Amino acid sequence: MERSFSSVYLLCSYSQGQVVSASMHHLSPCCSLCPAGRMGIELYLDLLSPPCRSVYIFAKKNNIPFTFKQMEVLKGQQHSDGFGKVNILRKVPALKDGGFTLAESPAILTYLSQKYKTPDHWYPLDMKKRARVDEYLSWHHSAIRSSVFKIFWLKVVFPLYMDQTAPEEKLQEALEDLTIPLKQLEEKFLQDKPFLVGNMISLADLVAVTELMQLIAIGYNILEDMPKLVEWRNRVEKAVGKELFQEVHKVILNFQDLNSMLIEPQLKEQMKPRLLKMVA
């Protein structure tokens, strides 16, 4: 089965299952958790995307009924008329709940938490604890995510589109830029707690761990010499459940399969200027 990766706007911001048609007009559920006779939400996800993985884990872990709409961004599905009706921003993850649609993973996660009244530790009712979750979610995208995104694109995506590797010095610069956010993750957010917000797993932990797995899976030992974060990562995996954790990361752990993916020449040409800008 061909696999795809996710991006947001194809530059910013996958559960094995039935193969999904490349046409948005023929998308079929890859994973349906909706009880018979009950319509659940639709989640448009690409599991090479950390934000998509956090949404998938949260929904499955909390037995939220949903239909998994597998996106193939490399094939241009985000630009189809069908998906444009779900999310005019052309981003994944995206949620459709009847006539209501929603973009952005933090908004989707908090919406699911409140709609389905998930256990309090995920998104606490206590104002100060909830503020801590919101604080991390707000910080994450401009710190951890921006650095991880650039490294992944330079290491994995750049060669797919450009038919050559990215300059090694640009990769090293991006890795160096990640050191400060990682230190802040440990010292500001984790400190001496079991999880980022306290004694139990929260949305903050899901968002953080799926992002870091993006680089760990492709061979970067980014938590080397950071034993607190290593232990925290292991606790998060245990809290999620090893089977679910491995399931959702299967595609990124097999990222080498992307090397055999055929990318439309038109998409390569469209992305070329943006990729060249990354290494300028």
Side-chain angles (χ1 to χ4, degrees):
M1 181 176 95
E2 288 186 323
R3 291 183 172 91
S4 59
F5 69 95
S6 171
S7 67
V8 173
Y9 243 149
L10 249 181
L11 188 63
C12 308
S13 65
Y14 259 73
S15 183
Q16 290 280 70
Q18 179 180 349
V19 175
V20 182
S21 168
S23 168
M24 282 297 298
H25 298 290
H26 298 91
L27 275 175
S28 58
C30 182
C31 174
S32 179
L33 298 180
C34 304
R38 178 183 175 186
M39 290 299 293
I41 60 173
E42 296 177 354
L43 295 176
Y44 294 76
L45 309 172
D46 185 331
L47 296 187
L48 265 179
S49 156
C52 289
R53 292 199 297 269
S54 66
V55 170
Y56 185 90
I57 289 174
F58 183 70
K60 287 203 73 174
K61 181 66 177 177
N62 288 283
N63 298 314
I64 294 172
F66 74 97
T67 299
F68 177 17
K69 299 289 190 176
Q70 181 175 344
M71 293 295 294
E72 294 187 298
V73 177
L74 275 178
K75 296 183 178 180
Q77 277 193 355
Q78 79 282 13
H79 296 304
S80 72
D81 292 339
F83 184 66
K85 294 176 181 178
V86 177
N87 186 6
I88 195 172
L89 300 176
R90 310 292 179 173
K91 296 181 179 182
V92 290
L95 173 150
K96 188 174 187 294
D97 187 1
F100 176 74
T101 59
L102 190 63
E104 302 297 336
S105 56
I108 292 171
L109 287 166
T110 55
Y111 175 80
L112 292 176
S113 176
Q114 294 172 93
K115 177 180 173 69
Y116 291 98
K117 297 179 173 59
T118 58
D120 187 70
H121 60 85
W122 290 108
Y123 195 52
L125 289 174
D126 179 89
M127 184 173 67
K128 291 182 179 179
K129 290 181 180 179
R130 176 168 290 197
R132 289 299 182 201
V133 175
D134 291 334
E135 178 186 37
Y136 180 81
L137 297 179
S138 298
W139 174 81
H140 173 87
H141 281 268
S142 62
I144 296 288
R145 173 146 182 77
S146 61
S147 294
V148 170
F149 172 84
K150 186 172 184 179
I151 296 165
F152 182 78
W153 269 68
L154 288 174
K155 180 67 175 180
V156 177
V157 182
F158 189 96
L160 292 177
Y161 278 101
M162 303 299 291
D163 299 316
Q164 61 181 307
T165 59
E168 183 61 28
E169 63 270 21
K170 294 297 182 180
L171 260 171
Q172 290 306 313
E173 287 175 9
L175 284 165
E176 289 174 10
D177 288 343
L178 182 60
T179 57
I180 292 177
L182 283 177
K183 186 176 181 181
Q184 291 171 338
L185 175 65
E186 180 179 77
E187 296 180 356
K188 152 69 176 169
F189 293 99
L190 182 60
Q191 299 177 2
D192 293 318
K193 304 186 300 294
F195 297 96
L196 296 183
V197 178
N199 293 323
M200 298 185 72
I201 191 172
S202 72
L203 295 180
D205 298 284
L206 279 189
V207 170
V209 80
T210 52
E211 198 74 55
L212 298 184
M213 283 298 297
Q214 194 80 349
L215 299 187
I216 293 171
I218 65 173
Y220 287 111
N221 189 10
I222 56 173
L223 302 185
E224 186 178 15
D225 301 324
M226 304 189 82
K228 282 187 179 180
L229 288 182
V230 171
E231 292 170 3
W232 160 80
R233 194 217 74 92
N234 292 336
R235 284 192 292 271
V236 174
E237 178 176 354
K238 184 177 180 180
V240 166
K242 186 173 182 178
E243 184 176 351
L244 176 57
F245 195 86
Q246 293 298 317
E247 172 193 334
V248 78
H249 288 101
K250 186 170 184 177
V251 174
I252 187 62
L253 287 167
N254 293 299
F255 74 96
Q256 298 93 339
D257 293 349
L258 292 172
N259 294 329
S260 61
M261 177 174 286
L262 297 177
I263 301 173
E264 292 290 338
Q266 183 179 358
L267 288 175
K268 285 188 175 184
E269 284 302 312
Q270 289 174 354
M271 289 304 303
K272 187 175 181 179
R274 296 177 181 177
L275 288 165
L276 289 175
K277 189 176 181 179
M278 292 181 72
V279 297

